[in-house]
Amino acid sequence: QVQLQESGPGLVKPSETLSLTCTVSGYSISSGYYWGWIRQPPGKGLEWIGSIYHSGSTYYNPSLKSRVTISVDTSKNQFSLKLSSVTAADTAVYYCARIAVAGTSYYFDYWGQGTLVTVSS
Amino acid sequence: DIQMTQSPSSLSASVGDRVTITCQASQDISNYLNWYQQKPGKAPKLLIYDASNLETGVPSRFSGSGSGTDFTFTISSLQPEDIATYYCQHLLTFGGGTKVEIK
């Protein structure tokens, strides 16, 4: 059974960098699939942040691209998110997910439970 | 960019009712449309992929149809455990969500 678990600080100060890690169990990241981050501000909808392939190729939401870095560590079966220069607008529940891709078929088939990150001084 | 417009934004129905949610794409997306269920405080769960394929383990009362720009998600007989917000998704864009409540 594929499982994903987010970890990282729940409180980040404005202008600092948000850092989260997703640990995958039940499947080896290096075996394939894309892996991604999605966020959900309180009471709002879902926003894709970015995705990474096991080879390290990355794809970012254009609206966040200048502030986002996603990386993968296949030795630890983890991938990570860094979001710089955060503001209160970045307060959200952050989810990691596995992404099934076949041509233009693209869907999130396994999700972590999510972690709330609050940006506040 | 392709926009996904979901309607209604919320609905209230009785147990046993047939519930329908629609999702419209701003351009032809073939059948590349997926549906998720999100219960309060939980992560989204994939229900339907590629417009009409039921994810393994999902009850058969859930179904999806459509192609091109217009898609439909249906719950054939609403159950109390179906109370949730439902989202459509194409590539990296999610619809705005439909909150389903019991009347």
Side-chain angles (χ1 to χ4, degrees), chain B residues 2-78:
Chain B
I2 297 175
Q3 306 301 316
M4 307 303 298
T5 303
Q6 202 175 325
S7 62
S9 57
S10 66
L11 65 88
S12 181
S14 299
V15 173
D17 282 354
R18 184 180 185 87
V19 169
T20 299
I21 298 168
T22 64
C23 187
Q24 186 171 57
S26 59
Q27 63 189 70
D28 189 339
I29 60 171
S30 185
N31 67 327
Y32 300 123
L33 191 283
N34 312 303
W35 292 96
Y36 299 82
Q37 175 193 65
Q38 186 179 32
K39 295 184 177 181
K42 300 294 187 181
K45 174 187 175 183
L46 177 67
L47 298 182
I48 305 279
Y49 63 95
D50 294 345
S52 60
N53 295 301
L54 199 65
E55 177 72 339
T56 302
V58 174
S60 59
R61 65 180 180 274
F62 296 102
S63 65
S65 65
S67 66
T69 60
D70 295 304
F71 300 85
T72 300
F73 172 81
T74 300
I75 307 173
S76 61
S77 177
L78 185 67

Side-chain angles (χ1 to χ4, degrees), chain A residues 6-95:
Chain A
E6 304 89 351
S7 59
L11 180 64
V12 181
K13 290 182 169 55
S15 80
E16 294 190 344
T17 296
L18 178 159
S19 296
L20 296 174
T21 296
C22 183
T23 301
V24 180
S25 58
Y27 187 85
S28 173
I29 285 179
S30 57
S31 294
Y33 284 92
Y34 286 79
W35 306 85
W37 290 95
I38 303 97
R39 70 181 183 178
Q40 185 172 38
K44 296 189 177 180
L46 300 163
E47 178 184 34
W48 169 71
I49 299 170
S51 306
I52 189 165
Y53 195 50
H54 67 89
S55 63
S57 300
T58 53
Y59 309 86
Y60 299 137
N61 186 324
S63 69
L64 299 169
K65 187 175 182 177
S66 63
R67 299 193 291 130
V68 173
T69 302
I70 296 176
S71 58
V72 64
D73 186 339
T74 54
S75 68
K76 295 182 179 179
N77 221 34
Q78 295 176 333
F79 61 104
S80 299
L81 168 70
K82 291 188 186 298
L83 181 65
S84 64
S85 304
V86 298
T87 70
D90 295 309
T91 293
V93 175
Y94 286 75
Y95 296 100

